[in-house]
Amino acid sequence: METFDYVVVGAGSAGCVGARRLSDDPAVRVLLLEAGAQARGFWTRVPAGMGKMFSANPFNWGYTTEPVAGLNGRSLFWPRGKTLGGSSAINGMVFTRGNRQDYDNWARAGNAGWSWDEVLPHFKALEDNQRGGNEVRGAGGPLRISDPALRSPVVDQFIRAAQQLGVPLVEDLSVRGVEGVGILQASIHNGKRQSTYDAYLEPVRGRSNLVIRTVSHVTRVVLADRVAVGVEVMEGGQRRTIDAGREVVLCAGALNSPQLLMHSGIGDGDQLRSHGIPVALHLPGVGKNLQDHLSVNVKVRTRPGVSHNRHLNGWRKYREGVRYLMAKNGYLACGATLAAAFTRSHAGVDYADLELGFRPISFSYSPSGQVTVDDIDAVSVAVFACRPASRGEVRLASSDPLQQPVLIPNYFDDPADLEAMLAGIRQIRELLRTQPIAASIEAELLPGPQATSDEQLTEFIRNTGKTSFHVCGTCRMGSDPMAVVDPQLRVHGIARLRVIDASIMPTVTSGNTNAPTIMIGEKGAALLKRFPPND
């Protein structure tokens, strides 16, 4: 039987970070286990290939939710990374930290050490910002953060129109943690996607104290008298056990970490018993508190030449392919969302609760997750409510750890979320009617000029809303009976077991969640070294 000091489960946005930081100590042996294979192929590194990575492919779990009442009974396709780098290897690469008040609220809720001022050093440590370091930006860290490879005039028109409506310009919008409008930075370097595997682990892959195994599916944590002593894995169709001499660290993500806990007998006792799983610890919060950003797109037709679409269709896409291969720049070197405005849905909210993400491009989406660039001149603006009040749940489908969990998003269970989205659509429309961007727009395509009432816009939201890929919160940090981990990310009631990934967020951050998840990996590894396991 193999023994390592630390067994890290999941080589995703946080797991790659944790494995790197733990293995920085040559005196410890670290095993990193990933259920997927290493992502290979042209589109896995090309920023514009994200649409292909979102849809069903070997590097994507390709989950599907239960039918959602708030979405007129639709089930949603939920992409999640199943490869080295996890979701950072298939996402839209947008790098935003969220609002500083998000973290201050975590600390005020009883999570000491998680305020903005306390997480900021970890944010700065993870990044090497193209703009250089300052009081909020990091320089010299593993992850390269860059401005868009192209900054077409319509992007600046969006920013200036928002300013005309009173939204302040913020130069460091991605990292400063305040509301405003500006350019969004991305985890792209020299025209290539930067996953956390690329940034953190590939440079140290040869370390003798670090073992990385792919296509190794962890099925449960092995417990002895409520002490985590190892993991059970499925490799090549065979189950075996690997010992952890110090700790087991779950970094499997907001859907798979609670699933693993439940298959290990940690969770709501009644649910576990209903599947014939022996209860090691009744911890009812496991899988609860699921949050996500549901987004909708306002799409408008533009004057010819304004949109990026024409460069990614027809004969021009081959020209762009050659340009990318030769110089790693051009339209293929860009993500989709290049600017954003963080605004308030109404005057009564404490801080910005809407993200309006501008794309000089437009897509069409299939129910299976397939994303295709529209063959028309068009741009789009996506909106989501940054701090949804609705809460969903992850449950087990059966006692089979290889079966997809039951995903219950409960979008719009709280009517406040729908009200915020309606406000967001109206803000987008007003912004697109404002100069200078108004001069570039010919007509609204979606929701369309016929949709004017709240009832019509509500149906548009329910019929077209989709995930922003920001699921989190299912192993919530806290000290109350429904919390799963403490502020040091140790699982309550189980010794030598931590969760370090997006599932520990008490509330979702106000923006794209990949950067906060990487920060959680950094801070979680530091906490693991500083605070002993709860033996």
Side-chain angles (χ1 to χ4, degrees), residues 496-510:
R496 294 169 47 188
L497 178 62
R498 300 196 201 218
V499 180
I500 302 178
D501 59 29
S503 67
I504 66 95
M505 294 185 188
T507 51
V508 63
T509 52
S510 299

Side-chain angles (χ1 to χ4, degrees), residues 32 105 159 179 181 220 298 306 380 410 418 436 454 491 496 504 506 524:
L32 176 61
N105 287 340
I159 292 171
E179 60 193 84
V181 65
R220 67 184 179 95
V298 175
V306 170
S380 55
N410 287 338
L418 182 58
D454 282 355
V491 175
R496 294 169 47 188
I504 66 95

Side-chain angles (χ1 to χ4, degrees), residues 25-38:
D25 180 355
V28 301
R29 295 189 71 225
V30 179
L31 173 64
L32 176 61
L33 297 170
E34 168 55 41
Q38 183 167 358

Side-chain angles (χ1 to χ4, degrees), residues 243-300:
D243 280 358
R246 296 191 184 183
E247 292 194 55
V248 174
V249 185
L250 298 187
C251 303
L255 305 182
N256 296 80
S257 282
Q259 180 190 27
L260 264 173
L261 287 175
M262 288 186 279
H263 279 297
S264 307
I266 305 166
D268 182 89
D270 289 340
Q271 183 189 162
L272 299 181
R273 281 186 285 268
S274 72
H275 295 296
I277 297 173
V279 179
L281 177 67
H282 174 62
L283 197 61
V286 173
K288 306 296 195 302
N289 193 49
L290 175 67
Q291 298 159 63
D292 184 31
H293 290 142
L294 186 90
S295 68
V296 294
N297 283 289
V298 175
K299 187 186 302 185
V300 294

Side-chain angles (χ1 to χ4, degrees), residues 319-395:
R319 181 182 66 184
E320 286 302 316
V322 172
R323 181 181 181 185
Y324 182 82
L325 289 171
M326 296 296 291
K328 295 295 185 292
N329 60 22
Y331 294 93
L332 294 186
C334 291
T337 309
L338 304 189
F342 291 91
T343 66
R344 305 186 189 209
S345 61
H346 59 89
V349 296
D350 293 337
Y351 59 101
D353 63 333
L354 295 173
E355 180 178 339
L356 316 181
F358 181 72
R359 299 165 177 164
I361 195 171
S362 68
F363 302 106
S364 293
Y365 303 88
S366 74
S368 66
Q370 189 70 36
V371 181
T372 54
V373 177
D374 296 326
D375 193 13
I376 56 174
D377 290 297
V379 299
S380 55
V381 186
V383 59
F384 60 74
C386 291
R387 300 192 304 283
S390 301
R391 296 291 184 269
E393 183 179 356
V394 175
R395 295 178 183 170

Side-chain angles (χ1 to χ4, degrees), residues 8 14-24 30 32 201 207 210:
V8 181
C16 288
V17 180
R20 162 65 184 271
R21 294 309 189 196
L22 290 173
S23 68
D24 285 345
V30 179
L32 176 61
L201 287 184
R207 283 180 172 172
L210 173 63

